[in-house]
Amino acid sequence: TGHIVAEALADRGVYLKSLFLTVAPARKDFVATVGPRAAENVLSAVQWHPSMGYADSFFGTSAEYASEFEALFGTEPSYLAAMASATVFSLAVAIKGAFERCTFTQASMDADALLFDTSAIACKDAIGQKYLGNGYDLIRKSLEVQSLETVVGRIEFNQHRRNVAKEPAITQVR
C-alpha cells in the first residue's frame, strides 16, 4: 500500500520531488504514519473530501453531509461512504423519475411485481404514448438519461453504464 512505499523510501533516505500514490495519502493518518518528511509533496487522486464544493438537494453540501454523518455514526465519512450515499440518492431519483408517469394496477404489490410484471403498472412516455415495458426497464432508462449533482459530484452514465461525469481531484501533502 501507499504508506509502505513512502516509509520504504524514507527509510532509505530517498525523498522525491513528487510521488503519486493512491488512497493512502487521502487518509487522515497518512502524515502521522509515514512522518512529515516522507509525506511531503506526495500526490494522490481523491474521489471525495468534505471540503469539495459539491451539493445536492437531499444531503446538502459535502461539508453538511460530513457533519451529519459524523453526528450519526461517530466517525468521519470515508469517500466510500459518501459515494454509497450518492449512489442511493441517484437510484432514488431514478426510481421517482421512472414511475412519475405511471399508475399502479394494484393497491398493494411486492417488488417483483413492480419491477417485472408488465401488467402491474400502466405508464406513458414523455409524449403520452403507452409504455409497454416493465418497472425494471423504466428505472434503467431513467438512469440512462440521468444528469445529477450529488455530494460527490456529477453523475451521468454512458452507453456502458459507467459514470463518466465524476472527476477526481488531485491532492498534495505539503
Side-chain angles (χ1 to χ4, degrees):
T1 62
H3 73 278
I4 294 171
V5 171
E7 287 174 331
L9 289 169
D11 287 348
R12 289 165 180 76
V14 177
Y15 298 100
L16 303 173
K17 291 184 180 184
S18 70
L19 175 64
F20 192 92
L21 300 171
T22 59
V23 183
R27 293 179 51 100
K28 189 176 185 176
D29 63 347
F30 178 72
V31 174
T33 300
V34 302
R37 180 122 192 250
E40 189 173 349
N41 296 321
V42 171
L43 303 166
S44 181
V46 294
Q47 295 297 321
W48 179 82
H49 188 272
S51 66
M52 293 175 133
Y54 302 126
D56 64 42
S57 60
F58 187 78
F59 293 110
T61 66
S62 296
E64 290 167 338
Y65 169 83
S67 177
E68 183 74 18
F69 187 97
E70 190 165 359
L72 284 170
F73 301 108
T75 186
E76 293 179 356
S78 68
Y79 76 95
L80 296 171
M83 298 291 272
S85 297
T87 300
V88 172
F89 176 60
S90 169
L91 184 57
V93 169
I95 291 169
K96 180 182 177 196
F99 296 109
E100 68 187 358
R101 293 184 188 94
C102 300
T103 55
F104 302 98
T105 58
Q106 304 167 27
S108 176
M109 69 180 90
D110 65 17
D112 283 339
L114 178 63
L115 292 174
F116 304 110
D117 182 355
T118 56
S119 67
I121 56 175
C123 305
K124 295 188 177 194
D125 64 18
I127 57 172
Q129 300 295 315
K130 184 176 181 180
Y131 176 76
L132 300 175
N134 60 32
Y136 175 82
D137 289 334
L138 284 169
I139 295 168
R140 187 179 47 76
K141 287 179 182 193
S142 183
L143 283 166
E144 285 174 2
V145 299
Q146 186 175 82
S147 180
L148 183 67
E149 289 293 333
T150 73
V151 294
V152 298
R154 188 153 207 69
I155 294 178
E156 289 179 24
F157 298 101
N158 68 7
Q159 69 273 19
H160 305 292
R161 300 180 185 156
R162 293 187 181 126
N163 182 8
V164 294
K166 175 74 182 90
E167 297 181 2
I170 303 295
T171 61
Q172 180 178 8
V173 179
R174 295 188 73 88

